[in-house]
């Protein structure tokens, strides 16, 4: 869950640091100085502590201190600070939302639901409360309530979504209507929800049109049940009777935890398959493993869900394993800093779109990665994928267990409450050694299996 930090800026026109030179006991200036710094750093924490030493009743200093502790994964301390802020500022929804955010990051959903219930009483029309509740309900597999609350996203101040004219589809039979399915959120979400697109024809849609970004166009081109793919933000917009965001389809189809539709069948272009065959070369008997260590760096929570290439290097030492990087974007630069001869094949520069990536993924034996769009791609293709997850991951993966009903070929590896990646990677390394050992023990065609 994400909600705005409490902001009630201290008054005064002068720069806070200039004010501190004049009066080191100015608590407001210390608060504002800390707010202007990186909240994960020691300098910001020092500013907030100095403000509280001067005046321990400043609720904003407690809230900012809590935000910094949350960003550094020190959740127990952050919760304690947030509780003080709420006690000092009991009628403020913002103080409660800050506490809710920290409880969510810590995975304490029981207390967060109680906090949200109180916030709903304070501001019953505020969509932020329902949005927070949707995340907990979806994590707990209450899909009926979770997807209903998920609709509150349209009214969040920070939510970016292109408004479309005409009535939204409410899930009723389409009976010969034209329906436009509109884009929302990232590539992974589009891949996740694509399973619903062929289902629209079964409800009587005469024509199904889907907004699509260019990176997915070749991969989706042959999808059954879709009559036309429209460029994102196309003008003029094609005529339709009803429209629906792709992220609203689970609600409209009445999805339950025990009735999640299987992933959509993706038609990988033959020219992409031929390219993948050239890139990977002939099968030499080794286990082919793709790796991805970061999603889109522009995504607000990417720093929590992603890690760095160096953690993946341990997989290079497993006998009988060939490792291929599927990483795209700025994190690819980490490959250039490896010593010459490091046995990892950088395929990112060769992958022009998701069709190219899909063609490679379907030829791999396994993908090991932190959560991003490639996890949804591998899961949709049925390729085994080990998804290394942050402590409180995307709702699709729930809060416990090693599997998700959304992707039968996916195995989940989870951080503990300390948000430490090391046990996650060590567990994946043990399993990879075992898998490679079983692979090596299999007889090779025309050989002894040694």
């Amino acid at each position: 869950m994400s909600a705005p930090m409490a902001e009630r800026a201290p008054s005064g026109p002068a720069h806070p640091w200039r004010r501190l030179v004049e009066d080191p006991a100015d608590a407001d200036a210390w608060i504002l100085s800390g707010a202007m710094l990186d909240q994960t750093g020691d300098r910001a924490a020092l500013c907030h502590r100095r403000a509280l030493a001067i005046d321990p009743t400043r609720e904003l200093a407690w809230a900012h201190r809590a935000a910094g502790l949350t960003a550094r994964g020190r959740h127990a301390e952050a919760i304690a600070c947030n509780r003080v802020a709420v006690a000092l500022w009991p009628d403020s929804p913002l103080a409660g939302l800050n506490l809710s955010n920290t409880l969510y990051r810590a995975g304490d959903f029981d207390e967060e639901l109680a906090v949200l219930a109180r916030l709903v009483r304070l501001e019953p029309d505020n969509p932020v409360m329902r949005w927070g509740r949707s995340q907990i309900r979806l994590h707990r597999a209450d899909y009926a309530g979770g997807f209903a609350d998920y609709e509150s996203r349209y009214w969040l101040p920070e939510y970016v979504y292109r408004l479309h004219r005409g009535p939204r589809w409410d899930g009723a039979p389409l009976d010969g209507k034209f329906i436009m399915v509109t884009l929302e959120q990232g590539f992974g979400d589009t891949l996740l929800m694509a399973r619903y697109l062929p289902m629209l024809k079964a409800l009587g849609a005469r024509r199904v049109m889907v907004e699509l970004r260019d990176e997915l166009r070749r991969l989706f081109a042959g999808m059954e049940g879709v009559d036309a793919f429209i460029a994102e933000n196309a003008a003029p917009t094609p005529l339709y009777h009803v429209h629906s965001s792709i992220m609203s389809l689970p609600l409209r189809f009445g999805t339950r935890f025990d009735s999640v539709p299987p992933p959509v069948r993706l038609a990988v272009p033959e020219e992409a398959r031929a390219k993948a065959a050239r890139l990977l070369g002939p099968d030499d008997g080794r286990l082919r493993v793709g790796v991805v260590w970061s999603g889109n760096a522009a995504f607000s929570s990417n720093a929590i869900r992603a890690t760095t290439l160096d953690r993946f290097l341990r997989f290079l030492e497993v006998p009988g394993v060939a490792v291929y990087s599927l990483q795209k974007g700025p994190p690819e630069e980490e490959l250039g800093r490896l010593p010459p001869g490091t046995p990892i094949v950088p395929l990112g520069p060769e992958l022009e779109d998701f069709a190219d990536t899909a063609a490679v993924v379907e030829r791999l034996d396994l993908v090991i990665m932190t959560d991003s769009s490639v996890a949804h791609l591998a899961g949709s293709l049925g390729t085994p994928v080990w998804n290394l997850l942050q402590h409180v991951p995307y709702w699709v993966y729930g809060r416990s267990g090693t599997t998700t009903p959304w992707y039968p070929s996916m195995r989940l590896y989870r951080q503990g409450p300390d948000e430490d990646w090391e046990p996650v990677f060590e567990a994946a390394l043990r399993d990879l050694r075992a898998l490679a050992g079983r692979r090596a023990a299999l007889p090779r065609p025309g050989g002894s299996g040694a």
Side-chain angles (χ1 to χ4, degrees), residues 10-21:
S11 61
H15 192 286
W17 298 334
R18 290 173 55 191
R19 290 166 55 185
L20 288 172
V21 171

Side-chain angles (χ1 to χ4, degrees), residues 80-134:
C81 290
N82 271 317
R83 284 175 178 154
V84 175
V86 170
L88 292 169
W89 203 2
D91 296 328
S92 167
L94 288 175
L97 282 171
N98 291 336
L99 175 57
S100 175
N101 279 340
T102 303
L103 291 168
Y104 180 83
R105 176 87 179 264
D108 189 343
F109 289 170
D110 289 336
E111 184 175 351
E112 189 188 359
L113 276 177
V115 170
L116 287 169
R118 177 177 174 276
L119 292 173
V120 168
R121 291 194 297 271
L122 285 173
E123 289 193 351
D125 297 326
N126 191 332
V128 175
M129 314 336 178
R130 282 190 63 203
W131 172 252
R133 191 172 62 183
S134 77

Side-chain angles (χ1 to χ4, degrees), residues 211-231:
E211 275 191 328
L212 200 65
R213 297 186 179 101
D214 286 342
E215 291 90 337
L216 285 167
R217 183 171 296 277
R218 279 204 304 155
L219 183 61
F220 278 29
M223 186 177 295
E224 180 183 353
V226 178
D227 297 292
F229 289 104
I230 312 301

Side-chain angles (χ1 to χ4, degrees), residues 100 163 223 233 255 267 293 313 325 329-330 339 354 392 437:
S100 175
L163 295 176
M223 186 177 295
N233 299 323
T255 304
W293 55 94
L313 298 182
S325 168
F354 278 91
V392 181

Side-chain angles (χ1 to χ4, degrees), residues 263-348:
V264 69
R265 181 178 174 273
L266 297 173
V268 181
E270 288 304 318
E271 64 270 19
R273 285 180 167 150
K275 179 179 179 179
R278 293 194 302 271
L279 290 173
L280 294 176
D283 184 356
D284 62 4
R286 290 184 295 170
L287 194 72
R288 291 175 165 178
V289 178
V291 296
V292 181
W293 55 94
S294 178
N296 183 354
F299 177 57
S300 59
S301 297
N302 191 64
I304 301 172
R305 68 177 182 175
T307 184
T308 51
L309 171 61
D310 62 287
R311 293 190 184 276
F312 285 80
L313 298 182
R314 69 194 74 195
F315 301 140
L316 307 182
E317 302 171 3
V318 179
V321 170
V323 178
Y324 302 84
S325 168
L326 308 177
Q327 184 66 53
K328 297 287 289 181
E332 283 184 273
E333 297 174 5
E334 295 178 51
L335 290 164
R337 296 192 286 270
L338 294 176
T342 301
I344 180 170
V345 181
L347 295 182

